[in-house]
């Protein structure tokens, strides 16, 4: 028994230090109390980590120097390192961030007037395999933790040096294949002890993982939901989005009906127009039928070119046909102007490029 105790102690000593971001409030309070600190230190440290996005213990200037040194002996303060960036002529900036284990993801900041919108990733890569998506073609590396999702937003905030007014989880990855960490990140982004962004301005985009849509409908916060539809014809959608083949359009339709009944909130359908694939008359009719009489808003996205892809974007005229025809059945649709198209702002593209150039 004694020998075992000794071993446990030794392995505890050799165990890598935990990162401050991964500690719950209770764990942080416990750590500080074990260091003989008064209770108010917890709030101070939390503010440095989550509100001020401190990158080192030295920045925590309202803590005694001895405490900063002591903290550094017990926990790490891991930060994401920026390894590539691109700036668009429209003011958007796209970043490739690397976490301490070498995994990298991208995020984008899109300023507009006095607003700053951030697009963040929830996974490194994605397992869903959508045919038109650069992220999908590379497969999943790993899911991100809540603090890794949160950190992307803070990185963009600090780079623009202004308040973030909205966040869309439309970068790499499928948020609903990483549900718990995504929700934790959203709560931290929403919290006054975090980024303080209104729940309605926090949007999750999913390719349509039905069980998690139902879970999301039951969360108490007013987060916004976008669903990537891309076709209302089952065969076309199966070909474009093989990862959600098992969640049929009929079931998606009723899940979204339940979502609206439960939350009263307007969901968005994302629809990237692909010439000759999902922009035909037959596809348009199916889309009208799918949306008519629902609360949904349709976002028509201009397809971003993915290198080596056989898909081409539809024309602007065709996109306008879609808006007109949808309006006739009472469905509101907008053509999303493609921000940062000169910087490959499509999901996964900066990463692909940086990898190819060996960075
Ligand atoms: N996995 C989630 C969120 C990340 S993808 C989802 O699929 O919804 C964010 C959005 O970018 C989705 O609507 C996705 O369909 C779209 N997208 C992916 N590749 C694209 C491309 N090449 N051009 C335009 N939109 C694309
Ligand atoms: Fe994954 Fe979304 Fe890309 Fe599909 S579109 S592969 S779900 S990131």
């Amino acid at each position: 028994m004694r020998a075992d105790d000794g071993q446990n102690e030794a392995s505890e000593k050799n165990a890598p230090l935990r990162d401050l971001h991964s500690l719950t409030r209770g764990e942080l309070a416990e750590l500080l109390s074990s260091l003989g600190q008064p209770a108010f230190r917890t709030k101070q440290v939390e503010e440095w980590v989550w509100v001020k996005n401190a990158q080192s213990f030295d920045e925590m200037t309202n803590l005694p120097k001895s405490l900063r040194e002591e903290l550094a002996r017990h926990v790490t303060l891991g930060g994401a390192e920026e390894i590539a960036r691109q700036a668009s002529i429209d003011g958007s900036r796209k970043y490739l961030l690397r976490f301490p284990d070498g995994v990298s993801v991208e995020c984008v900041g899109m300023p507009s007037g006095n607003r700053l919108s951030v697009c963040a990733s929830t996974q490194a890569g994605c397992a869903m395999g959508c045919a038109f998506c650069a992220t999908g073609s590379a497969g999943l590396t790993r899911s991100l933790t809540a603090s890794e999702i949160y950190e992307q937003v803070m990185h963009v905030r600090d780079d623009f040096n202004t308040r973030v007014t909205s966040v869309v989880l439309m970068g790499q990855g499928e948020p609903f294949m990483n549900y718990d960490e995504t929700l934790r990140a959203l709560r931290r982004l929403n919290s006054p002890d975090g980024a303080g962004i209104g729940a309605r301005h926090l949007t999750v985009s999913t390719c349509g993982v039905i069980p998690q849509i139902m879970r999301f409908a039951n969360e108490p916060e007013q987060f916004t939901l976008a669903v990537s539809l891309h076709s209302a014809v089952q065969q076309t959608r199966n070909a474009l989005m093989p990862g959600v083949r098992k969640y049929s359009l009929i079931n998606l339709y009723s899940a979204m009906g339940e979502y609206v009944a439960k939350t009263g909130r307007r969901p968005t359908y994302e629809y990237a127009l692909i010439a000759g694939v999902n922009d035909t008359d037959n596809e348009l009719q199916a889309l009208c039928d799918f949306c008519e009489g629902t609360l949904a808003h349709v976002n028509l996205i201009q397809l971003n070119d993915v290198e080596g892809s056989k898909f081409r974007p539809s024309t602007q005229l065709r996109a306008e046909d879609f808006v007109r025809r949808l309006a006739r059945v009472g469905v509101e649709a907008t053509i999303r102007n493609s921000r940062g198209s000169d910087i490959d702002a499509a999901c996964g593209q900066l990463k692909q490029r940086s990898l190819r150039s060996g960075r």
Side-chain angles (χ1 to χ4, degrees):
M1 285 301 280
R2 290 182 71 109
D4 273 0
D5 285 352
Q7 260 176 14
N8 283 344
E9 222 170 78
S11 60
E12 237 166 63
K13 266 187 196 145
N14 293 332
L17 297 182
R18 281 184 69 186
D19 193 83
L20 194 43
H21 293 91
S22 71
L23 264 51
T24 61
R25 174 170 292 174
E27 287 170 333
L28 176 61
E30 205 175 293
L31 170 66
L32 288 163
S33 140
S34 77
L35 298 175
Q37 294 297 318
F40 69 85
R41 292 284 184 221
T42 307
K43 196 160 172 51
Q44 283 183 319
V45 173
E46 277 200 321
E47 199 179 6
W48 281 110
V49 174
W50 301 112
V51 181
K52 295 179 181 153
N53 192 30
Q55 299 296 302
S56 75
F57 291 108
D58 284 341
E59 281 177 46
M60 304 182 179
T61 45
N62 59 354
L63 306 184
K65 190 156 190 290
S66 56
L67 173 57
R68 285 183 255 152
E69 288 167 357
E70 194 68 21
L71 276 174
R73 276 195 283 277
H74 287 83
V75 280
T76 56
L77 188 60
E81 186 196 350
E82 183 182 309
I83 53 171
R85 71 155 66 195
Q86 289 178 323
S88 163
I89 42 168
D90 69 15
S92 328
R93 296 177 201 161
K94 181 166 182 167
Y95 311 81
L96 184 61
L97 303 184
R98 184 167 59 198
F99 297 112
D101 68 349
V103 163
S104 57
V105 296
E106 58 190 35
C107 53
V108 184
M110 295 162 288
S112 163
N114 55 6
R115 296 199 309 262
L116 176 62
S117 182
V118 175
C119 175
S121 298
T122 54
Q123 297 183 308
C126 183
M128 307 311 281
C130 299
F132 48 84
C133 173
T135 305
S137 65
L140 176 69
T141 305
R142 71 165 170 85
S143 286
L144 302 186
T145 63
S147 70
E148 287 169 338
I149 300 169
Y150 184 82
E151 226 177 314
Q152 297 168 56
V153 178
M154 299 317 254
H155 186 89
V156 177
R157 179 199 71 172
D158 290 348
D159 192 52
F160 279 89
N161 196 21
T162 180
R163 211 170 78 80
V164 172
T165 46
S166 65
V167 175
V168 290
L169 297 181
M170 288 190 184
Q172 291 166 261
E174 170 47 44
F176 283 177
M177 296 303 276
N178 185 21
Y179 190 90
D180 292 339
E181 294 299 308
T182 295
L183 258 286
R184 281 182 59 198
L186 287 174
R187 296 208 162 108
R188 180 74 74 182
L189 288 166
N190 181 222
S191 165
D193 297 331
I197 303 167
R200 287 163 192 272
H201 302 289
L202 298 171
T203 301
V204 176
S205 176
T206 176
C207 58
V209 184
I210 292 174
Q212 314 294 42
I213 292 176
M214 298 325 299
R215 233 177 121 182
F216 197 62
N218 287 301
E219 301 294 352
E221 295 88 353
Q222 306 255 297
F223 300 131
T224 298
L225 178 66
V227 173
S228 297
L229 186 61
H230 302 310
S231 175
V233 175
Q234 192 66 61
Q235 210 182 351
T236 313
R237 196 165 191 265
N238 286 350
L240 290 176
M241 307 176 72
V244 281
R245 207 179 280 221
K246 67 175 171 191
Y247 303 119
S248 67
L249 281 164
I250 296 172
N251 290 338
L252 180 63
Y253 183 86
S254 45
M256 293 307 286
E258 275 184 55
Y259 171 87
V260 170
K262 178 93 199 161
T263 63
R265 294 199 297 276
R266 178 186 291 264
T268 299
Y269 288 127
E270 305 284 330
Y271 200 103
L273 284 162
I274 310 174
V277 176
N278 65 1
D279 74 344
T280 61
D281 286 342
N282 181 41
E283 290 278 338
L284 174 51
Q285 185 58 52
L287 178 62
C288 289
D289 293 345
F290 195 84
C291 298
E292 187 174 358
T294 71
L295 205 58
H297 179 100
V298 176
N299 242 340
L300 298 163
I301 313 167
Q302 201 203 359
L303 184 79
N304 277 301
D305 272 327
V306 173
E307 218 179 90
S309 162
K310 56 184 188 293
F311 298 126
R312 294 288 160 258
S314 309
T315 62
Q316 176 71 17
L317 281 177
R318 192 60 184 147
E320 286 163 12
D321 280 346
F322 265 62
V323 175
R324 260 194 307 274
R325 280 282 303 281
L326 284 161
R328 254 189 257 154
V329 294
V331 177
E332 217 181 275
T334 41
I335 302 176
R336 195 161 84 199
N337 70 337
S338 187
R339 293 293 305 267
S341 50
D342 57 323
I343 56 165
D344 309 326
C347 179
Q349 292 190 12
L350 177 64
K351 183 163 171 163
Q352 304 298 319
R353 186 149 306 185
S354 305
L355 289 176
R356 270 200 305 276
S357 65
R359 253 181 295 166

